Amino acid sequence: MANAAALLQQPATSPSCKSSGSRRVKRLAAPHAERAVARLSNTETVAISFRRGNSLSKGFCAAAHPSTIEEHTKLGDAARAQSINRDTSDDFLQEETEHKRSHKAKTAFNIVFVTSEVAPWSKTGGLGDVCGSLPPALAARGHRVMVVAPQYQQYPEPSSTGVSADILGTTVGFSHYSSKGVDWFRFALLNVAALEAPLVLKLDEGLFGDDCIFIANDWHGALVPVYLAAKYRPHGVYHQARSILAVHNLRHQGVYPPGTFSMLQLPKEWYNALEWQYPPHQRQGSYEEEGRCVNTMKAGISCADRVVTVSPGYAWEIQTPEGGWGMEGMLTSRSYALNGVLNGVDLVEWDPDNDPHIYQNFNESNFAEGKKVNKAGLQKEMGLPERPEVPIIGFIGRLDYQKGADLVLGAAHWLLNQDVQIICLGTGDKHLEAGMRWLESAYPDKARGWVGFNVPMSHKITAACDLLLMPSRFEPCGLNQLYAMRYGTVPVAHATGGLRDTVLPFNPWEVTGTGWTFSPCTVDAFTATLGQALDTYRNHTDSFRDLQSRGMVRDSSWDKAAQEYEQIFEWAKVDAPYCQ
């Protein structure tokens, strides 16, 4: 019996990607379907299954890619952050009220997440947080969920199954771990293995089968829609399946030289689905044929059944020249299939009432006293004068151009002349790291710059600060502003992407808002808005307390996001496959 690689080497039909009408798709009983599944049955991929109704944490599959271990592995106590959906239409919310109360979906789906990282095993940013948190939220609503991700090193939990398979010429081994009702597996060769998993992994509830929703995350999983259309559907497999490309950061697109296409073992007629040519002013390196390359993100956009981003604001921005990174034309042409779902927070990990890292726990009923104790504790630990009347301003994030750390340094001289204290935590660009060290040395009684990252300290800063700075030039969603609001810390953010969706501008006349936003992204606009925030803190204490209170009670859970994803699943299933 042939293995999966044999199936992948068979000829496939030419790509046909086109918009389809809104009609139900009948399951195809093609004579090749049974034989194709049989060909795949020798292979096992690595995956984690979340049982229906189980709200417990993560699922995981992994395989070794030694060259990326250092980049992708941040293990241990790193917090998992989740996605929250904010601003759905009133009609949709009314229609879903009863299902929200029961926390069960109207229709249960088999869902497969394909991702390069999943917290807590591997994490470099928000992608790992989302894939460690959204799957259990969907499972809690009655779906059957699997997560497929690479293994970058040996982790203590799983044990080998003794099963291996040859996929794309590489031997893949699998491990398994079961805890709290969650089955965890590990694998290699992310995209193909993810497509194999539902067909071959016999978990507690049996095979997922080929009626699945694949959620391919960023460029790492963007070839799933391509393989689905080029290698499986032509052989009668996965006609009922749908693929959704989840874009967490469009800036990173998975770009490789044209010659790497042959390594993918796709039919040659599918090259155009991956080919991309950069305009002259964007060409870097020595790619052949005048800026031509293989772009996996472009392939995912052109072949996925639907596209979803991590906020409604970012879904709009990536259709513009300023935020599309060259993909805006393709995304605009598919705007009817493009949605945004906001990230949220892990309400257990980020809970000021039970946080083990902070100096004193508090909640929305006693946050004034709780934050006062945390401020004094942080000032003492950081060696700053213990002055309760002085506002503490925090910055937590990567030190790079995107996060606007240079704007913080640009505004520092003005800001620190306003009788404030500022505490920064982050690592990244060496010049910006040097800037943080300069900040502390130039203002020893007012500023601290912690170069590096420390999870307990990030919690302490979030709990103790009065204001949190988020001057990102672009931000698909952002998480720190959500953590800050939950801890009664008011964000000051650039009005972009998910920051615009989550940080609602303070309106003293209507008594609304959860923070301050500024635009354009300049030092002048930044300092002007900071001036308004400091004036409110010092001269309008009641209004500032109201801002803190509104942020703390904001719904940042995953259940709302899960409901929006369910609507996207239903839309995807209504239409015929976009690419077949």
Side-chain angles (χ1 to χ4, degrees):
M1 185 179 294
N3 60 17
L7 175 62
L8 292 170
Q9 292 165 2
Q10 294 179 22
T13 58
S14 298
S16 173
C17 301
K18 59 184 179 180
S19 177
S20 55
S22 297
R23 62 183 186 278
R24 286 287 178 186
V25 182
K26 295 182 179 178
R27 182 169 182 83
L28 300 181
H32 298 289
E34 184 176 351
R35 294 199 294 273
V37 174
R39 290 189 186 99
L40 292 168
S41 64
N42 279 353
T43 318
E44 289 209 4
T45 37
V46 187
I48 314 165
S49 169
F50 294 86
R51 292 178 182 168
R52 290 191 181 95
N54 192 316
S55 61
L56 299 172
S57 54
K58 39 277 163 193
F60 184 68
C61 330
H65 293 286
S67 64
T68 58
I69 289 176
E70 183 176 352
E71 175 186 357
H72 281 272
T73 311
K74 292 184 179 179
L75 306 175
D77 296 328
R80 298 193 317 273
Q82 329 298 333
S83 32
I84 162 194
N85 163 335
R86 182 182 158 257
D87 301 325
T88 53
S89 69
D90 291 340
D91 291 341
F92 173 70
L93 290 177
Q94 291 172 6
E95 181 182 334
E96 294 295 304
T97 299
E98 292 303 321
H99 298 283
K100 180 176 180 181
R101 288 173 182 164
S102 65
H103 298 287
K104 293 299 179 182
K106 291 187 296 184
T107 304
F109 295 98
N110 292 333
I111 304 165
V112 180
F113 282 78
V114 186
T115 177
S116 64
E117 56 187 77
V118 54
W121 295 281
S122 54
K123 172 187 169 184
T124 61
L127 173 60
D129 288 329
V130 170
C131 292
S133 302
L134 176 57
L138 287 166
R141 292 183 56 80
H143 303 285
R144 193 176 181 199
V145 187
M146 176 188 296
V147 179
V148 181
Q151 176 180 325
Y152 299 105
Q153 66 180 33
Q154 294 300 318
Y155 306 122
E157 299 95 348
S159 59
S160 174
T161 63
V163 176
S164 63
D166 181 13
I167 299 178
L168 295 180
T170 299
T171 300
V172 178
F174 311 102
S175 302
H176 172 258
Y177 174 60
S178 180
S179 174
K180 299 179 181 179
V182 179
D183 292 314
W184 309 12
F185 294 83
R186 314 223 156 163
F187 80 96
L189 297 174
L190 186 61
N191 292 268
V192 178
L195 288 161
E196 300 264 315
L199 302 173
V200 300
L201 287 179
K202 295 183 178 179
L203 306 177
D204 290 344
E205 299 180 48
L207 294 173
F208 269 57
D210 68 348
D211 186 0
C212 298
I213 301 287
F214 289 93
I215 301 179
N217 290 275
D218 270 346
W219 67 267
H220 322 92
L223 289 179
V224 166
V226 182
Y227 281 116
L228 190 65
K231 287 294 188 179
Y232 288 85
R233 285 176 180 151
H235 301 285
V237 184
Y238 283 135
H239 277 288
Q240 285 287 82
R242 298 293 183 271
S243 60
I244 297 171
L245 177 66
V247 179
H248 298 259
N249 192 332
L250 190 59
R251 181 181 183 181
H252 307 292
Q253 298 180 3
V255 177
Y256 297 95
T260 59
F261 175 79
S262 61
M263 300 170 59
L264 302 177
Q265 297 186 25
L266 286 165
K268 62 181 181 180
E269 58 267 24
W270 281 83
Y271 176 75
N272 287 339
L274 284 81
E275 184 188 40
W276 182 255
Q277 184 175 21
Y278 283 98
H281 68 282
Q282 292 182 349
R283 294 173 190 172
Q284 299 178 8
S286 57
Y287 288 162
E288 56 193 288
E289 297 184 14
E290 301 178 339
R292 287 183 172 84
C293 62
V294 167
N295 186 318
T296 58
M297 182 70 87
K298 179 256 185 178
I301 294 171
S302 62
C303 295
D305 295 298
R306 296 194 70 88
V307 181
V308 64
T309 70
V310 291
S311 70
Y314 193 56
W316 173 80
E317 286 182 4
I318 61 176
Q319 298 178 68
T320 69
E322 294 79 9
W325 297 95
M327 299 285 144
E328 61 273 9
M330 292 182 59
L331 288 163
T332 300
S333 71
R334 300 211 61 199
S335 60
Y336 62 90
L338 173 61
N339 301 95
V341 179
L342 276 169
N343 286 344
V345 300
D346 184 331
L347 300 184
V348 175
E349 183 72 23
W350 291 92
D351 179 8
D353 206 17
N354 295 285
D355 193 330
H357 302 303
I358 64 178
Y359 305 97
Q360 179 173 304
N361 295 122
F362 60 92
N363 54 43
E364 57 270 17
S365 66
N366 62 359
F367 70 87
E369 180 61 28
K371 288 187 70 67
K372 181 179 179 180
V373 173
N374 278 279
K375 176 186 283 191
L378 185 63
Q379 288 173 327
K380 182 177 182 180
E381 182 171 349
M382 301 300 285
L384 290 169
E386 296 181 39
R387 300 175 59 196
E389 78 282 1
V390 171
I392 297 184
I393 300 174
F395 173 85
I396 304 171
R398 280 197 322 275
L399 302 182
D400 63 12
Y401 177 82
Q402 176 193 341
K403 297 297 182 180
D406 57 310
L407 293 182
V408 176
L409 294 173
H413 179 71
W414 174 87
L415 185 58
L416 290 168
N417 281 313
Q418 308 303 309
D419 193 22
V420 304
Q421 295 175 348
I422 182 169
I423 300 175
C424 302
L425 173 66
T427 184
D429 181 88
K430 298 303 179 184
H431 297 290
L432 293 173
E433 288 182 352
M436 292 300 166
R437 296 186 180 97
W438 162 83
L439 184 66
E440 181 171 336
S441 64
Y443 301 93
D445 293 331
K446 294 184 175 182
R448 292 292 181 268
W450 183 313
V451 176
F453 189 74
N454 182 284
V455 171
M457 181 53 63
S458 69
H459 283 244
K460 291 175 181 178
I461 293 173
T462 302
C465 284
D466 301 291
L467 299 170
L468 184 80
L469 306 181
M470 295 277 297
S472 302
R473 284 180 169 83
F474 69 94
E475 191 65 71
C477 179
L479 296 170
N480 286 334
Q481 82 278 13
L482 301 177
Y483 302 150
M485 287 187 282
R486 187 152 169 79
Y487 282 67
T489 299
V490 183
V492 178
H494 177 218
T496 183
L499 298 178
R500 183 191 290 113
D501 293 324
T502 54
V503 182
L504 306 182
F506 171 51
N507 186 322
W509 293 276
E510 297 181 0
V511 194
T512 59
T514 55
W516 283 271
T517 59
F518 65 94
S519 186
C521 195
T522 63
V523 171
D524 288 344
F526 189 25
T527 54
T529 303
L530 280 170
Q532 297 173 21
L534 292 173
D535 179 68
T536 305
Y537 175 85
R538 291 193 169 106
N539 301 319
H540 305 279
T541 304
D542 290 342
S543 293
F544 194 85
R545 292 281 171 83
D546 288 343
L547 272 167
Q548 293 175 294
S549 180
R550 285 193 294 273
M552 293 190 73
V553 300
R554 179 187 183 276
D555 180 8
S556 294
S557 68
W558 261 109
D559 187 66
K560 192 176 178 184
Q563 291 181 65
E564 257 197 84
Y565 270 95
E566 289 165 0
Q567 178 64 79
I568 294 170
F569 299 156
E570 291 180 7
W571 288 334
K573 293 290 282 186
V574 163
D575 289 340
Y578 181 74
C579 215
Q580 55 186 328

